[in-house]
Amino acid sequence: MRYRSCRANSGDLRSHLRELAQQRRRFDYRRLRILLRRDGIMINLTKAQQLYREEWQTVRRWKGRRRAVGARAPAPVLALPNQHRSLDFVHDQLVTGRQFRVLNIVDDVTPEFLRAVVDM
């Protein structure tokens, strides 16, 4: 004696899901489930995910941005102090909730901290 499954056959549902996935290639199983619900087919999210995975319908992934090819030129080294400076804003918050900002000015050639300007 063996167990017999009580599940309904989901062949029509699979074919409908496959059609929608072919029409809308960028949609994943969540968005395809919404389209199925619009067509009047009520389906659980986990069931939609299971059918989607069994049919091997995958969403095309973005390849990312293209990187620049070639070697970068090294930054010129400045030999004299006070020729090149860097500015940087740093912000924080007091215990009372009031925010303040600090403008830091640093000399790039020497490890000299030129100025810090604090303002609310």
Side-chain angles (χ1 to χ4, degrees):
M1 197 139 166
R2 294 190 178 189
Y3 174 77
R4 289 187 186 173
S5 177
C6 301
R7 281 189 200 170
N9 189 5
S10 57
D12 296 336
L13 181 61
R14 280 179 197 268
S15 63
H16 195 66
L17 184 67
R18 194 180 309 122
E19 284 177 20
L20 288 175
Q22 290 298 325
Q23 291 172 1
R24 314 282 180 124
R25 292 184 181 269
R26 293 291 309 155
F27 284 11
D28 62 341
Y29 66 94
R30 291 181 185 97
R31 294 194 55 193
L32 289 174
R33 177 179 167 251
I34 293 170
L35 293 178
L36 286 172
R37 290 180 120 198
R38 286 183 188 165
D39 292 340
I41 301 172
M42 301 304 275
I43 185 173
N44 191 359
L45 185 65
T46 54
K47 182 70 174 176
Q49 182 183 13
Q50 176 189 4
L51 291 175
Y52 188 81
R53 200 177 288 155
E54 286 175 3
E55 290 295 320
W56 293 101
Q57 302 290 341
T58 56
V59 177
R60 184 169 40 102
R61 301 283 180 209
W62 289 105
K63 294 179 182 176
R65 69 178 186 92
R66 295 186 178 173
R67 306 286 191 270
V69 179
R72 291 179 180 246
V77 178
L78 303 173
L80 300 173
N82 292 328
Q83 278 189 341
H84 195 263
R85 297 182 181 138
S86 295
L87 303 173
D88 186 26
F89 278 104
V90 179
H91 62 277
D92 203 359
Q93 186 173 0
L94 298 173
V95 177
T96 59
R98 192 164 181 193
Q99 296 182 353
F100 66 94
R101 242 189 218 181
V102 180
L103 171 67
N104 296 319
I105 304 172
V106 181
D107 188 13
D108 288 341
V109 179
T110 62
E112 184 179 354
F113 188 76
L114 297 177
R115 190 153 188 200
V117 181
V118 182
D119 196 8
M120 294 290 185

